[in-house]
């Protein structure tokens, strides 16, 4: 086993330049691993919307490189409320209220529609929401220019004599590397190659989301100064609405979720109108409706996730899946991108320890053994969380049972020590 300062006799292709691909590139650069990022788009970019990272994920960013954390802090609003808060949970659906507008009785007090029912506490430390495009820009700044090739859409990977992987792109060109790390997202071509078309196929989760952003100043005008600046969750039947500040408190991010049995449109992101959005929330409170009414240019996102992968890697040719390519999740626990960061830390450190192509498979196996159970558990519990927030879980609309589940369900994600994962993976690598 080598050290990170030793020259590597392998070089890697990273397919996809999203949060996973770029974070992994930073992690591998630290260990002087030669690599090229192949991105299908003409430039790095993300669809404009927010993404939140809790304290454990920001700590993992720092373990990969303090510069990632610094970049995150520059573009996040870094909410450090005391006590630390994930969401205030409120009921936003008038159908849950009695004749007088009350939805729940707690500690001898009647709680009305729109009142905070309880708060889901998070964990201390820097955390918060970022605009995806801003965070991606920060990641790009850390990488040397020329590390990426654009308009390179991967269509296939074959094996060269000697075991290298040959990447075939839609423009007819090829590239040869010792191994491929598939960071190409939920519809990953690398996933199809490793798992086969059937197992790789994403599954509609039964939920779709409207996503939009509102300038914070505008949100403060109709919601007051306090609520828009802290994360809020409004729950109801077959839907919930999340709001949280991003981009140093300058943007009010809105995601509203609704349920339907199937999604038939081949496109997953489609333009919608405010009227369609409002129609889904006809029975909700005036406040929820005014949040929706103020969203400009809303998009509908069909929410798909992956069925559990039986493996995250293959050896002929060498391909390893990471981030959404390996375990795309619904967003209901706000942890999909966080899991990508964790993957990058573990795989990056393992690859930093080896020097030769022969050891790659062992590193992939150790990464797979440690990361797969945790990442797949996140996918499944996130789907369940979507049912909980939409009052469709086993708790239904029993708000006492709902609270009990909600305040404890994130502990295994947030209290996890990623260094312990790495320790286990290193042991496997050396075994
Ligand atoms: C509504 C919603 C809200 C979310 N909120 C949160 C949140 O609050 N917190 C959180 O942690 N996570 C959240 N997530 C999850 C998070 O967005 C994803 O887990 C994360 O962005 C995945 O990053 P990735 O780099 O693995 O994949 P992607 O972001 O999908 O990037 C894949 C990249 O690969 C490129 N690519 C694709 N195919 C090819 C190809 N064939 N050849 C070359 N390049 C290719 C793409 O152009 C893209 O740049 C949310 C997700 C959704 C849908």
């Amino acid at each position: 086993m080598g050290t990170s300062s030793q020259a590597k006799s392998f070089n890697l292709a990273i397919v996809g330049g999203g949060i996973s691909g770029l974070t992994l590139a930073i992690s591998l650069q630290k260990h002087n691993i030669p690599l090229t990022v192949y991105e299908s788009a003409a430039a790095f970019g993300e669809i404009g919307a927010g993404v939140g990272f809790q304290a454990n994920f920001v700590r993992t960013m720092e373990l990969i490189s303090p510069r990632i954390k610094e970049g995150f802090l520059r573009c996040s609003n870094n909410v450090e409320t005391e006590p630390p808060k994930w969401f205030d949970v409120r009921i936003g659906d008038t159908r849950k209220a009695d004749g007088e507008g009350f939805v729940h009785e707690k500690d001898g007090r009647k709680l009305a529609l729109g009142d905070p029912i309880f708060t889901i506490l998070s964990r201390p430390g820097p955390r918060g929401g970022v605009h995806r495009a801003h965070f991606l820009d920060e990641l790009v700044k850390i990488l040397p220019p020329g590390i990426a090739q654009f308009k390179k859409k991967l269509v296939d990977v074959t094996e060269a004599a000697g075991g290298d992987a040959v990447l075939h792109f839609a423009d007819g060109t090829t590239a040869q590397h010792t191994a491929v790390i598939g960071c190409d997202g939920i519809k990953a071509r690398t996933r199809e190659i490793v798992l086969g078309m059937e197992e790789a196929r994403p599954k509609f989760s039964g939920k779709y989301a409207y996503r939009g952003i509102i300038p914070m100043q505008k949100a403060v005008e109709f919601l007051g100064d306090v609520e828009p600046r802290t994360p809020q969750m409004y729950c109801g039947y077959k839907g919930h609405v999340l709001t949280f500040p991003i981009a140093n408190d300058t943007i009010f991010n809105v995601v509203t979720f609704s349920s339907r049995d199937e999604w038939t449109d081949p496109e997953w992101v489609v333009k919608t109108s405010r009227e369609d959005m409002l129609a889904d929330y006809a029975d909700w409170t005036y406040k929820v409706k005014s949040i929706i009414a103020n969203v400009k240019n809303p998009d509908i996102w069909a929410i798909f996730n992956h069925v559990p992968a039986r493996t995250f890697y293959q050896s002929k040719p060498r391909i390893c899946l990471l981030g959404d390519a390996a375990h795309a999740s619904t967003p209901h626990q706000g942890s999909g991108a966080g899991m990508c960061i964790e993957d990058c830390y573990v795989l990056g450190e393992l690859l930093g320890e080896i020097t030769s192509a022969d050891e790659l498979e062992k590193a992939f196996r150790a990464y797979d053994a440690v990361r797969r159970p945790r990442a797949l558990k996140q996918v499944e519990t996130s789907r369940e969380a979507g049912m909980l927030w939409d009052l469709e879980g086993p708790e239904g609309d029993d708000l006492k049972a709902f609270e009990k589940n909600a305040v404890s369900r994130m502990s295994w994600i947030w209290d996890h020590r990623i260094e312990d994962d790495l320790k286990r993976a290193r042991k496997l690598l050396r075994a």
Side-chain angles (χ1 to χ4, degrees):
M1 221 57 56
T3 65
S4 29
S5 55
Q6 275 179 284
K8 312 290 181 190
S9 68
F10 59 86
N11 64 74
L12 301 176
I14 295 179
V15 178
I19 290 174
S20 296
L22 296 187
T23 306
L24 182 70
I26 294 168
S27 178
L28 299 181
Q29 280 261 305
K30 185 173 85 177
H31 298 295
N32 302 314
I33 297 172
L35 68 99
T36 306
V37 178
Y38 296 98
E39 166 58 48
S40 57
F44 292 126
E46 278 266 13
I47 295 187
V51 59
F53 291 94
Q54 291 304 306
N56 61 309
F57 297 129
V58 178
R59 224 171 54 76
T60 308
M61 289 177 196
E62 188 175 20
L63 290 173
I64 298 171
S65 162
R67 294 184 65 193
I68 303 182
K69 181 184 168 189
E70 287 159 21
F72 170 80
L73 293 181
R74 264 194 297 277
C75 62
S76 81
N77 58 305
N78 187 19
V79 258
E80 285 213 58
T81 49
E82 196 47 57
K85 228 185 226 193
W86 190 37
F87 283 105
D88 288 327
V89 178
R90 302 161 191 262
I91 295 299
D93 189 331
T94 60
R95 290 167 293 187
K96 174 65 182 152
D98 64 17
E100 293 172 82
F102 292 111
V103 293
H104 191 40
E105 194 170 331
K106 194 177 163 185
D107 306 328
R109 222 163 58 84
K110 283 189 156 190
L111 297 171
L113 204 55
D115 283 349
I117 305 289
F118 60 91
T119 294
I120 305 177
L121 295 179
S122 63
R123 301 293 182 267
R127 64 192 175 280
V130 290
H131 192 295
R132 283 161 188 269
H134 301 172
F135 184 52
L136 217 66
D137 283 348
E138 293 292 342
L139 296 177
V140 171
K141 276 190 222 161
I142 303 172
L143 288 165
I147 202 164
Q149 294 192 24
F150 297 100
K151 298 190 188 167
K152 291 289 173 192
K153 183 178 164 59
L154 182 85
V155 289
D156 204 3
V157 184
T158 53
E159 193 178 12
D164 271 6
V166 181
L167 294 88
H168 300 258
F169 299 105
D171 62 4
T173 60
T174 59
Q176 189 162 332
H177 290 266
T178 325
V180 176
I181 316 293
C183 299
D184 38 348
I186 187 166
K187 294 180 180 171
R189 178 66 190 126
T190 52
R191 180 180 175 90
E192 290 172 354
I193 297 167
V194 171
L195 298 175
M197 296 302 281
E198 200 46 47
E199 194 178 335
R201 187 168 296 135
K203 191 169 174 226
F204 180 55
S205 70
K207 308 276 172 212
Y208 60 99
Y210 297 107
R211 304 171 78 175
I213 48 181
I214 301 175
M216 182 58 80
Q217 221 176 341
K218 174 97 189 155
V220 166
E221 277 169 26
F222 68 91
L223 289 170
D225 202 35
V226 180
E227 262 177 58
R229 300 194 193 278
T230 51
Q232 305 292 329
M233 180 189 296
Y234 302 88
C235 296
Y237 296 102
K238 291 188 176 293
H240 68 284
V241 174
L242 301 180
T243 68
F244 52 92
I246 59 170
N248 288 311
D249 250 9
T250 58
I251 298 175
F252 179 66
N253 189 62
V254 179
V255 194
T256 79
F257 295 90
S258 303
S259 309
R260 70 159 71 150
D261 292 338
E262 54 174 11
W263 185 268
T264 47
D265 196 317
E267 295 297 326
W268 293 2
V269 182
V270 292
K271 283 268 160 242
T272 187
S273 65
R274 256 181 243 184
E275 290 65 35
D276 277 355
M277 269 174 97
L278 282 167
D280 269 9
Y281 291 87
D283 291 313
W284 291 55
T285 58
Y286 176 73
K287 189 192 279 181
V288 169
K289 285 181 190 164
S290 38
I291 292 171
I292 293 168
N294 276 283
V295 170
K296 273 200 187 122
N297 309 319
D299 296 319
I300 292 190
W301 290 53
I303 313 270
F304 282 69
N305 62 2
H306 281 153
V307 297
R310 79 196 120 85
T311 179
F312 282 178
Y313 75 101
Q314 69 167 37
S315 31
K316 284 176 156 300
R318 299 179 197 96
I319 304 177
C320 186
L321 306 175
L322 184 143
D324 270 19
H327 46 70
S329 150
T330 55
H332 307 306
Q333 293 182 144
S335 297
M339 289 288 151
C340 300
I341 304 284
E342 290 190 354
D343 286 355
C344 292
Y345 173 62
V346 173
L347 186 63
E349 293 301 313
L350 291 175
L351 295 175
E353 293 204 6
I354 63 170
T355 50
S356 74
D358 301 345
E359 296 166 293
L360 278 168
E361 189 175 346
K362 227 173 168 190
F364 293 160
R365 193 183 310 133
Y367 156 83
D368 174 81
V370 166
R371 290 300 303 156
R372 198 153 44 89
R374 177 166 164 83
L376 296 189
K377 181 175 174 184
Q378 203 295 119
V379 176
E380 179 54 18
T381 55
S382 178
R383 198 190 55 76
E384 289 165 6
M387 310 283 284
L388 180 72
W389 311 139
D390 293 356
L391 311 179
E392 297 172 311
E395 296 78 4
D397 65 355
D398 171 351
L399 296 185
K400 200 170 164 201
F402 176 96
E403 175 176 353
K404 190 164 174 237
N405 182 334
V407 296
S408 59
R409 67 175 302 112
M410 299 298 293
S411 304
W412 72 274
I413 299 177
W414 294 341
D415 296 332
H416 188 71
R417 279 184 53 81
I418 193 68
E419 297 93 326
D420 295 341
D421 275 6
L422 181 59
K423 232 185 252 171
R424 278 195 303 125
R426 277 191 171 132
K427 233 186 208 167
L428 292 169
L429 180 65
R430 289 177 190 138

